[in-house]
Amino acid sequence: MNTRESTAPWWQDAVFYQIYPRSFRDSNGDGVGDLRGIIEQLDYLNDGKNNTRSLGIDALWISPFFRSPMRDCGYDISDYKDVDPLFGTIDDARELISACHARGIRVIIDLVLNHTSDQHPWFQASASDPDGDKGDWYLWAPRRPNNWIAMLELKSAWWWDERRQAYYLATFSREQPEVNWRNPAVREAMYDVVRFWLEMGVDGFRLDVINWFIKDDRLRSNPWHFKAVPDMFQKHIYDRNRPETLDICRELREISDKYSNTPDDDKVLVGEVFTDDADIAASYHGNGNDALHMAFNFEFLWQKWDARAFHDAIQHWYAALPEGAWPNFTLSNHDQPRHYSRYMPAFGTRDYRQRIALARARVAAAMLLTVRGTPFLYYGEEIGMQNVPLKRHEIQDPLGQRLSFLTRDKGRAPMQWDAGATAGFCPEDAPPWLPVRPAGTQANVEAQLDDPDSLLGWYRTLIRLRRQEPALRQGQLQMLCDGSKQVLGWRRHMPDETGTRDIVVLLNFANRTTPLPDGQVDTGTVLAGTHRDTGEAAHPAELLPHEVLILGQ
Ligand code: NOJ
């Protein structure tokens, strides 16, 4: 493992990169990405030698690759301790972890502990033998007790099982029955899974829908309300966010802390707290950060392109976090449309829309990589990947199969390595599991790898700057511009061995020249910028359209 100069916990300093393994790289020609494909492409992510052609990320979050019938693309697990043959073998997983570590890349894996697959032997036993030792491992009821909804089916979350002559709870798809976390034997079985992977050497976990683990003990109905996304017209007070869930976070923390000796080998817990309410997400850090290390804040995922809205979301998140907790930010993940497409103007010529989308992607990247908190990137955002148009029959996402306009697959298309017919993701004679973007686009690694002015070059510049400048990772953040004129700006401030280091970040969200507030920005040296040369002295009074300017002082 690379040694770091920083004394902060590694996960606070790290840039994370999410890989959706089905879509990153196919090494065996079956049209589906796999673990060996990731191993083959590690140098692209970080070769461990500070090569300027590497992206320079510090940690991977890999979406599930466990044995699964793939009813929800691997978020339905039938064996937590094995790798699905589609993705490789357990030895490939071991090799992937050590190949990452050899390059200084940490690995967190995606544990789905709220539910299993209906093919998991635990569920099979629970369904067929109510009096057996697994009889109480899932949530069963003689009749539908409440109005809870299955998110991926848009129907009641209670499903009839012929064998047991009872209903079981599954709040995603019917093939994902929820385990009974109130049962100590279930907890122990899940903690055993956690230990198994920690022993294998992973550096932590992304914990799928951790805020859904515990359900109301009286199974009460949720009140209805008028918000469709993401709440499905219900206030989720009885099927999510029950107070007892925090005890589980603390128990998980106790286990993972046993495997951590120094800030440099913390085993990090990152919870997917599925809500758009930052206050709820913040609460999962516990008191003084004794529960999760980080809970995802999804406010950016639903944010329109508006500097003021981002300003407010950032301030809201900082204010919501308990003392001692550490922020994180993300713009895209495998459940949402890609932000490149979200921020593309709806109207105008094709060239105009593409030009503005690219300019906005640069602004967004600078925001994500310079704001105080751990950034999570989603594979392909660094090359400007967009949502991929899909025909109905091409959709594999269970949600999209029911309502095609909601399909999450549009943001899950294969990584674009080159401009060829299958984008270099798989051989050209192996149809990829989802269509790749039409050939010829510049949004591919090969086209951008040697071009410092490309979006990929911009991400590399920002990631390197973050690595070189402790102030960008750990420095305090003082807002300079509140976004009201579509300019967002902050100062990152940090004492260093020679005094203090200040870095000023200025982001113009508008496609017009915009004045900066008087007296807020002194002269500085350009550390990175979209319109000015690095090393130049600058005392800007205004920003050009979509300009990003990062100054050292
Ligand atoms: C959240 C995951 O991110 C999503 O992809 C999945 O469908 C559900 N949890 C169910 O596991």
Side-chain angles (χ1 to χ4, degrees):
M1 186 79 60
N2 280 1
T3 47
R4 297 179 315 124
E5 279 167 23
S6 170
T7 53
W10 68 266
W11 46 272
Q12 295 187 357
D13 280 351
V15 174
F16 279 76
Y17 185 95
Q18 182 192 354
I19 288 186
Y20 198 65
R22 269 179 172 255
S23 294
F24 199 59
R25 173 76 151 208
D26 168 21
S27 74
N28 62 355
D30 62 359
V32 179
D34 44 50
L35 299 186
R36 300 216 69 81
I38 302 176
I39 297 173
E40 281 172 12
Q41 295 300 329
L42 285 180
D43 281 352
Y44 165 73
L45 297 170
N46 187 342
D47 70 351
K49 300 182 191 122
N50 213 8
N51 184 333
T52 49
R53 291 175 105 225
S54 279
L55 184 57
I57 54 92
D58 306 288
L60 294 181
W61 149 25
I62 308 178
S63 284
F65 48 74
F66 314 97
R67 203 172 265 276
S68 160
M70 302 289 164
R71 299 298 304 147
D72 185 17
C73 288
Y75 282 88
D76 49 322
I77 297 172
S78 54
D79 184 348
Y80 289 97
K81 296 186 180 176
D82 201 3
V83 169
D84 195 88
L86 205 54
F87 297 126
T89 63
I90 196 86
D91 285 336
D92 293 335
R94 234 178 243 117
E95 191 178 327
L96 173 58
I97 296 165
S98 61
C100 284
H101 287 173
R103 289 167 172 78
I105 305 174
R106 324 273 173 151
V107 182
I108 70 167
I109 61 169
D110 204 328
L111 281 186
V112 187
L113 308 181
N114 173 67
H115 45 269
T116 66
S117 157
D118 61 351
Q119 301 304 309
H120 196 295
W122 299 342
F123 184 71
Q124 298 289 323
S126 194
S128 37
D129 185 5
D131 302 319
D133 67 340
K134 306 272 184 312
D136 190 29
W137 278 40
Y138 291 81
L139 293 152
W140 295 97
R143 62 195 71 81
R144 291 194 168 115
N146 56 37
N147 65 354
W148 298 352
I149 293 172
M151 279 273 287
L152 305 183
E153 303 235 19
L154 312 173
K155 286 186 179 150
S156 165
W158 294 93
W159 305 93
W160 180 249
D161 185 276
E162 277 297 326
R163 293 163 293 185
R164 182 145 167 171
Q165 292 289 299
Y167 290 92
Y168 63 89
L169 180 71
T171 61
F172 286 97
S173 73
R174 68 191 77 184
E175 292 96 354
Q176 292 163 292
E178 320 249 330
V179 301
N180 177 10
W181 267 94
R182 291 181 189 273
N183 181 334
V186 170
R187 282 195 193 203
E188 205 24 67
M190 291 307 194
Y191 295 159
D192 178 54
V193 169
V194 168
R195 289 190 197 96
F196 174 85
W197 286 100
L198 286 169
E199 297 286 343
M200 179 88 79
V202 298
D203 301 290
F205 305 100
R206 180 260 189 193
L207 296 157
D208 192 67
V209 287
I210 189 141
N211 59 325
W212 298 30
F213 282 17
I214 294 273
K215 319 290 178 216
D216 178 44
D217 50 0
R218 289 159 53 200
L219 301 178
R220 281 170 284 186
S221 281
N222 288 321
W224 295 98
H225 82 153
F226 288 106
K227 202 155 119 213
V229 180
D231 290 351
M232 302 281 176
F233 301 109
Q234 290 190 358
K235 278 196 184 149
H236 294 279
I237 56 176
Y238 294 124
D239 57 346
R240 304 179 195 167
N241 306 315
R242 302 304 299 162
E244 299 93 326
T245 316
L246 208 56
D247 300 336
I248 299 178
C249 296
R250 293 203 170 100
E251 287 169 13
L252 285 164
R253 179 66 177 261
E254 208 176 301
I255 296 170
S256 68
D257 277 354
K258 290 217 170 82
Y259 290 77
S260 317
N261 300 310
T262 67
D264 221 41
D265 74 355
D266 267 357
K267 306 299 173 210
V268 67
L269 301 178
V270 187
E272 184 203 24
V273 179
F274 190 86
T275 168
D276 60 349
D277 184 335
D279 295 293
I280 293 181
S283 69
Y284 281 82
H285 296 84
N287 297 324
N289 196 22
D290 62 352
L292 301 181
H293 296 81
M294 291 187 277
F296 273 125
N297 169 25
F298 285 163
E299 254 188 300
F300 275 15
L301 292 175
W302 287 294
Q303 206 58 264
K304 59 185 178 194
W305 187 253
D306 178 69
R308 183 64 198 237
F310 278 107
H311 167 272
D312 293 352
I314 293 166
Q315 295 291 61
H316 180 190
W317 186 222
Y318 290 153
L321 287 171
E323 181 85 36
W326 181 255
N328 70 87
F329 292 93
T330 188
L331 283 161
S332 287
N333 68 25
H334 65 290
D335 289 330
Q336 303 299 328
R338 286 183 173 274
H339 71 266
Y340 197 95
S341 298
R342 294 203 314 265
Y343 297 139
M344 182 176 290
F347 303 106
T349 62
R350 190 177 174 278
D351 281 357
Y352 167 81
R353 295 173 62 233
Q354 291 290 347
R355 187 167 54 76
I356 300 296
L358 178 58
R360 288 180 175 181
R362 289 177 193 270
V363 176
M367 173 176 70
L368 187 64
L369 289 160
T370 65
V371 72
R372 180 178 160 85
T374 299
F376 283 78
L377 311 181
Y378 182 52
Y379 80 95
E381 73 173 68
E382 73 280 12
I383 51 168
M385 277 180 65
Q386 301 177 28
N387 292 337
V388 168
L390 294 168
K391 300 197 183 70
R392 211 192 165 89
H393 72 270
E394 292 168 332
I395 294 175
Q396 312 236 359
D397 170 22
L399 178 61
Q401 285 172 345
R402 275 158 196 105
L403 280 180
S404 56
F405 71 96
L406 288 182
T407 186
R408 300 169 296 175
D409 285 346
K410 53 182 178 261
R412 297 174 173 175
M415 176 73 176
Q416 292 156 201
W417 296 101
D418 64 33
T422 50
F425 162 72
C426 61
E428 297 203 348
D429 58 358
W433 79 282
L434 275 183
V436 296
R437 241 192 110 61
T441 158
Q442 281 298 298
N444 70 72
V445 172
E446 193 179 64
Q448 299 184 27
L449 199 57
D450 294 312
D451 177 3
D453 296 328
S454 63
L455 186 60
L456 177 58
W458 179 237
Y459 268 84
R460 284 194 304 225
T461 300
L462 293 166
I463 292 172
R464 285 212 155 58
L465 189 61
R466 211 175 178 281
R467 179 168 289 185
Q468 282 155 13
E469 294 284 354
L472 282 181
R473 304 191 305 269
Q474 292 291 326
Q476 292 306 317
L477 183 143
Q478 178 206 348
M479 281 289 178
L480 299 177
C481 315
D482 66 4
S484 52
K485 302 251 169 10
Q486 289 309 317
V487 171
L488 200 55
W490 44 74
R491 182 186 300 279
R492 303 292 309 273
H493 170 83
M494 170 118 170
D496 76 5
E497 53 298 345
T498 56
T500 59
R501 175 66 159 162
D502 276 19
I503 295 182
V504 169
V505 178
L506 299 163
L507 310 165
N508 188 358
F509 278 60
N511 188 26
R512 58 169 184 274
T513 302
T514 312
L516 291 168
D518 280 346
Q520 290 283 39
V521 183
D522 310 328
T523 307
T525 307
V526 179
L527 300 175
T530 47
H531 294 68
R532 303 184 202 223
D533 291 333
T534 307
E536 209 177 84
H539 189 163
E542 58 184 28
L543 291 182
L544 294 169
H546 292 123
E547 179 171 3
V548 173
L549 185 56
I550 305 178
L551 300 175
Q553 292 176 333

